[in-house]
Amino acid sequence: MMAESTAESNTIFDDAIRRLDSAFSYAEIDPEALEMLKHPKIIIQVSIPVRMDDGSLRVFDGYRVRHDDTCGPGKGGIRYHQDVSLNEVKALAFWMTCKCAVVGLPYGGGKGGIVVNPKELSQLELERLSRGFIRQIADFIGPEVDVPAPDVYTNAMIMGWMMDEYSKIVRKRTPAVITGKPIPLGGSLGRDDATGRGGYYCIKELERIRGWSPDDIRVAIQGFGNAGQHNARLLHADGYKVVAVSDSQGGIYRADGFDIPSLIKTKNESRELKAVYCEGSVCEVVDAESISNEALLELDVDILVPAALENQITKDNAANIKAGIIVELANGPTTAEADAILNRADILVVPDILANAGGVTVSYFEWVQNKAGYYWPLEEVHTKLKTIMSREFNAVYDLMKKHRIDMRTAAYAKALKRIGEAISAQGTKQFFDNNH
Ligand code: NAD
């Protein structure tokens, strides 16, 4: 069914689009483009009945929002989380539009979500839910329409089921309908670590600009899933001191920094974050403090990387942030009110729509490879990703310096300019301007 407007609070979507207003004056585009971007193009709400393993029936709510498709098909992940709401999906879809525009991908923005705690479902239940969702939204997605991908608590296996289900519906193998697939089913090499790697390339550009030495830099990472783990791994390999990490259960802190490969190994084997050092398969516990997710954000570090969920840095804790740089791997970790406080404190925020764009960039590479039927080696993926991330990081950084604005406003101005030019190129307004 098509969703009706709900009485649900609009905060997160309103907060998201408010960022456009401050960027508008630097984008030099027609106000009509701004108006269009304030309204998602299509909103779908579905119910997904699932036969559970014990024979009972559960019905889950799901959403897909295509925010904009001026520059290309909608593009954006599908999230499985108990707190998913229509407003959250709308905000996430909006961010995807801006993110694709910042890095110049030929896409609009989309997002989907199912209200579910996936940890409570068996693998077979998860598969039935995922396939059921695709059956409900199949008419609204497609390689040239809207292309989903993984997000929080969805992964390559789920993307594989979804691609398979869609291919059955259209009676044609269609790998380009979804990205983030397993490699044997048409996934791209390098998609698994692309988000963390893209953020890492941003930090490498800052390293070049600021001339710092990695072993002097302390990093705290909130969220130790796909984005956070890979970012931590790459930074650690370069000598950065990753002194704190956390997951939904809480965090660990160690002033000397952690051996990140050991943390990743135990987290992925035991699903628990443990302060350990491993040699081969033997892991020893190392000295570390347990800290809460809230405390992690306020640690005295050089770089803070929120890589979990949105709304983590708010007006209540922004004044306590001690990091000089925040690299937003998560989508929307900072509220607009918090942004103002961080800007006043001269904290450099590399905004989500730039910092975590590595994921969608390699998703784009996957889509291109699927359409071409020709697959690239890993080095080519890394080189192409680095070229795009470094180039677009510097373009946003230069715009920030030129206008003396914060980096988020600069990123939105850049995105708005690209989308605004595409909207104006459709020519409708020009026709009236010329004839009246
Ligand atoms: P994930 O499911 O792999 O990991 C999420 C991590 O966050 C897990 O470690 C989880 O335990 C932790 N977490 C959950 N709730 C938390 C809380 N309240 N406090 C601290 N940690 C908590 O997800 P992911 O793919 O790494 O996504 C993380 C963020 O990055 C999300 O905001 C997502 O939208 C964004 N992102 C991901 C990608 C991608 O390609 N994976 C791309 C762009 C943006």
Side-chain angles (χ1 to χ4, degrees):
M1 77 176 191
M2 307 303 285
E4 292 172 10
S5 63
T6 66
E8 191 183 357
S9 130
N10 270 333
T11 327
I12 194 173
F13 180 66
D14 288 349
D15 205 33
I17 59 171
R18 212 177 307 146
R19 301 262 167 76
L20 286 181
D21 290 321
S22 44
F24 176 67
S25 53
Y26 304 100
E28 299 152 20
I29 56 155
D30 199 293
E32 284 189 353
L34 181 68
E35 185 55 26
M36 280 185 67
L37 291 172
K38 291 186 174 177
H39 305 273
K41 269 217 164 136
I42 186 161
I43 297 174
I44 304 150
Q45 180 178 342
V46 296
S47 305
I48 314 148
V50 174
R51 181 67 59 198
M52 307 302 280
D53 291 347
D54 66 2
S56 65
L57 183 83
R58 272 183 72 184
V59 182
F60 296 89
D61 289 328
Y63 306 99
R64 183 76 195 171
V65 173
R66 193 182 326 146
H67 172 262
D68 184 69
D69 52 13
T70 311
C71 298
K75 184 85 195 79
I78 295 173
R79 174 173 295 196
Y80 287 180
H81 197 277
Q82 60 273 22
D83 297 336
V84 161
S85 68
L86 178 56
N87 266 306
E88 182 188 54
V89 179
K90 279 164 64 180
L92 288 161
F94 162 77
W95 284 320
M96 286 307 300
T97 301
C98 299
K99 192 181 304 183
C100 293
V102 169
V103 287
L105 306 179
Y107 284 140
K111 205 80 180 191
I114 300 180
V115 186
V116 59
N117 179 354
K119 293 177 187 169
E120 290 173 356
L121 267 56
S122 73
Q123 188 158 316
L124 286 176
E125 289 167 342
L126 208 54
E127 178 172 357
R128 290 196 282 274
L129 175 68
S130 305
R131 289 181 182 274
F133 183 50
I134 290 300
R135 285 196 293 277
Q136 302 287 48
I137 66 166
D139 288 339
F140 300 92
I141 59 172
E144 304 303 333
V145 181
D146 185 2
V147 184
D151 190 67
V152 174
Y153 296 141
T154 52
N155 56 25
M157 184 169 62
I158 294 175
M159 298 305 110
W161 292 331
M162 290 181 164
M163 186 273 273
D164 183 58
E165 193 64 30
Y166 183 82
S167 296
K168 281 181 182 149
I169 292 165
V170 300
R171 296 197 160 273
K172 192 163 40 174
R173 192 173 188 281
T174 315
V177 67
I178 208 156
T179 58
K181 300 179 291 294
I183 308 291
L185 294 178
S188 174
L189 294 174
R191 176 61 185 87
D192 51 350
D193 74 355
T195 302
R197 182 175 286 274
Y200 162 76
Y201 289 142
C202 291
I203 294 173
K204 294 305 277 182
E205 286 308 303
L206 281 170
E207 178 185 311
R208 185 184 57 73
I209 292 167
R210 302 224 168 160
W212 66 45
S213 164
D215 43 2
D216 291 337
I217 305 297
R218 293 154 305 148
V219 186
I221 301 184
Q222 185 200 44
F224 206 54
N226 175 292
Q229 282 187 14
H230 287 298
N231 188 252
R233 175 179 58 80
L234 291 163
L235 290 173
H236 173 263
D238 271 6
Y240 283 83
K241 270 194 199 135
V242 181
V243 296
V245 297
S246 66
D247 65 11
S248 56
Q249 305 302 309
I252 46 178
Y253 170 77
R254 186 169 198 255
D256 289 343
F258 287 106
D259 181 61
I260 295 300
S262 301
L263 261 51
I264 293 176
K265 179 176 155 25
T266 46
K267 164 81 186 169
N268 293 344
E269 281 170 9
S270 68
R271 289 183 154 209
E272 260 182 74
L273 189 57
K274 291 185 202 137
V276 288
Y277 177 77
C278 305
E279 293 238 6
S281 57
V282 182
C283 297
E284 274 178 26
V285 175
V286 295
D287 279 344
E289 274 173 50
S290 293
I291 51 166
S292 66
N293 266 300
E294 294 72 33
L296 180 142
L297 296 172
E298 299 177 11
L299 283 174
D300 183 9
V301 291
D302 301 292
I303 303 178
L304 173 65
V305 181
L309 296 171
E310 52 267 16
N311 290 344
Q312 298 301 303
I313 304 174
T314 66
K315 67 176 176 15
D316 300 325
N317 63 1
N320 303 332
I321 303 283
K322 295 176 197 68
I325 295 172
I326 299 176
V327 178
E328 295 182 334
L329 283 190
N331 284 308
T334 311
T335 65
E337 285 164 316
D339 243 351
I341 300 169
L342 299 175
N343 290 337
R344 276 200 299 277
D346 225 8
I347 294 173
L348 177 73
V349 181
V350 184
D352 48 4
I353 58 169
L354 174 65
N356 71 30
V360 70
T361 302
V362 177
S363 273
Y364 163 60
F365 296 164
E366 180 175 334
W367 179 78
V368 169
Q369 292 170 79
N370 291 153
K371 282 158 71 88
Y374 175 72
Y375 289 84
W376 312 342
L378 183 61
E379 300 68 45
E380 191 170 343
V381 172
H382 287 171
T383 307
K384 285 186 156 81
L385 176 62
K386 184 165 192 244
T387 302
I388 292 180
M389 291 305 301
S390 308
R391 183 183 66 214
E392 304 303 338
F393 177 92
N394 284 304
V396 174
Y397 194 87
D398 291 349
L399 199 64
M400 168 183 86
K401 290 281 174 200
K402 179 177 162 200
H403 293 299
R404 295 168 186 233
I405 50 181
D406 59 278
M407 204 165 182
R408 191 187 312 280
T409 306
Y412 275 99
K414 187 161 176 284
L416 262 182
K417 191 165 169 56
R418 271 198 179 128
I419 306 164
E421 283 171 357
I423 290 174
S424 296
Q426 290 172 328
T428 327
K429 177 148 189 299
Q430 219 175 335
F431 173 81
F432 283 97
D433 287 346
N434 293 342
N435 288 283
H436 292 92

